[in-house]
Amino acid sequence: MVGIFGEYFHMMNNVSLRLLRIAARLWFAVTCLGQAVFAYYILMHYGRSAALGQLETWNAVNPHFYVHGDVRGNIIFGLHVAFAAIITILGPLQLVDALRARAPRFHRVSGRIYIVSAILISAAGLYLTWVRGAVGGPVMAVAITMNGLIILGCAILTIRNAMQRKFAAHQQWAVHLFLAMSGVWFFRVFFMLWMFIFRAPVGFDPGTFTGPFLTGLSVFVYILPQGIAAVYFHIRRNGSSLQRALFSGFLVLMALGMGLGSVAATLGMWLPRL
């Protein structure tokens, strides 16, 4: 009887691990596809307008993006956007196991570019937030600052563990860094998901871009993903079958929400500006 129960629990453990792996891959696939569209938008909207010398078109998104006469600020914003395209393209590639195993040199070189870009984009983001000002006022500025500090912390820990050849920890912190770097994309996706659901600016003032919804969204996309990742790694290693099944369901719901939000952002925010 003990042997039967042991086999049963072993089987359920394997099933729950498989479910968790499938759910994580689904979430990652949706994220990669959505970020690929976002990268294309960045390159075509900001890159093309910069190449044509039409920097004023940046302000179709935000009046703070191009400021006439502010050469230093405009250059920093341009670099910020360029690094955003780099990290959006390279970020998902750092987490693909097959690519890491088959092309380790590419992984190392692209990883270094990704890390440097992450540090520089964080520094540029902090400058733009506190010198040019952030849409949404002080609350949004604090949230963006916290995201920048999280990025820097995750980047340092990712590098340190790689140098110490602690590859399991290195991969985990790479995931944390990827989530932190995806905060801007998460914000747009879940904002558009909210607008798709309610079809109106519920919970915030569209004129000032402030309100309880935006405050909560800032926490949800910039800070909460770090806790979710920590729970995922804990459950994957030490969780029960029930915990893994529940977390798998959560990941599937997140993937569905992000997929719908990505479609809404693409159709309502990105494509109209191309």
Side-chain angles (χ1 to χ4, degrees):
M1 182 66 70
V2 175
I4 294 175
F5 277 114
E7 291 179 3
Y8 173 77
F9 285 119
H10 179 69
M11 180 188 69
M12 293 301 297
N13 184 62
N14 289 339
V15 170
S16 65
L17 282 173
R18 191 175 299 114
L19 286 174
L20 185 62
R21 189 180 303 114
I22 292 171
R25 288 178 177 175
L26 173 64
W27 176 91
F28 185 62
V30 172
T31 302
C32 289
L33 183 59
Q35 292 200 2
V37 176
F38 186 48
Y40 177 79
Y41 161 74
I42 292 172
L43 291 171
M44 295 303 295
H45 178 69
Y46 295 103
R48 182 172 57 184
S49 59
L52 296 175
Q54 300 172 350
L55 302 184
E56 294 84 357
T57 59
W58 292 355
N59 290 343
V61 180
N62 186 315
H64 297 282
F65 285 173
Y66 174 78
V67 178
H68 182 72
D70 183 11
V71 177
R72 180 175 61 183
N74 293 333
I75 291 175
I76 291 176
F77 177 76
L79 292 174
H80 181 73
V81 172
F83 287 126
I86 291 172
I87 62 98
T88 304
I89 294 170
L90 291 182
L93 297 180
Q94 305 307 305
L95 305 181
V96 178
D97 292 336
L99 183 61
R100 185 168 59 244
R102 297 177 183 177
R105 180 173 176 79
F106 173 80
H107 175 73
R108 289 193 296 270
V109 173
S110 62
R112 293 186 179 107
I113 296 173
Y114 182 70
I115 291 287
V116 172
S117 300
I119 294 172
L120 293 177
I121 198 174
S122 298
L126 292 174
Y127 172 88
L128 294 170
T129 297
W130 292 105
V131 175
R132 285 218 171 157
V135 174
V139 173
M140 194 69 71
V142 170
I144 294 173
T145 300
M146 293 184 67
N147 184 54
L149 296 176
I150 290 172
I151 290 172
L152 293 174
C154 292
I156 291 171
L157 290 170
T158 301
I159 296 171
R160 178 183 297 175
N161 282 286
M163 294 178 64
Q164 295 176 350
R165 304 187 69 81
K166 297 178 180 178
F167 295 121
H170 164 70
Q171 292 173 11
Q172 289 188 19
W173 282 109
V175 172
H176 281 283
L177 177 60
F178 173 72
L179 292 172
M181 294 299 297
S182 300
V184 171
W185 180 77
F186 286 147
F187 188 94
R188 284 156 174 75
V189 166
F190 284 106
F191 174 78
M192 290 305 294
L193 176 63
W194 182 269
M195 293 297 293
F196 175 80
I197 293 172
F198 290 100
R199 308 284 177 160
V202 175
F204 69 97
D205 180 358
T208 61
F209 210 64
T210 58
F213 164 68
L214 295 178
T215 300
L217 183 62
S218 298
V219 174
F220 182 73
V221 301
Y222 293 136
I223 301 171
L224 190 59
Q226 302 303 315
I228 294 174
V231 171
Y232 166 76
F233 288 120
H234 173 75
I235 287 178
R236 191 179 70 176
R237 289 191 303 265
N238 306 311
S240 65
S241 298
L242 177 59
Q243 289 173 330
R244 289 172 182 152
L246 291 174
F247 197 82
S248 297
F250 169 75
L251 286 179
V252 170
L253 289 176
M254 287 290 290
L256 293 175
M258 289 194 309
L260 183 56
S262 295
V263 171
T266 300
L267 298 179
M269 184 183 297
W270 299 328
L271 283 183
R273 293 170 181 160
L274 295 181

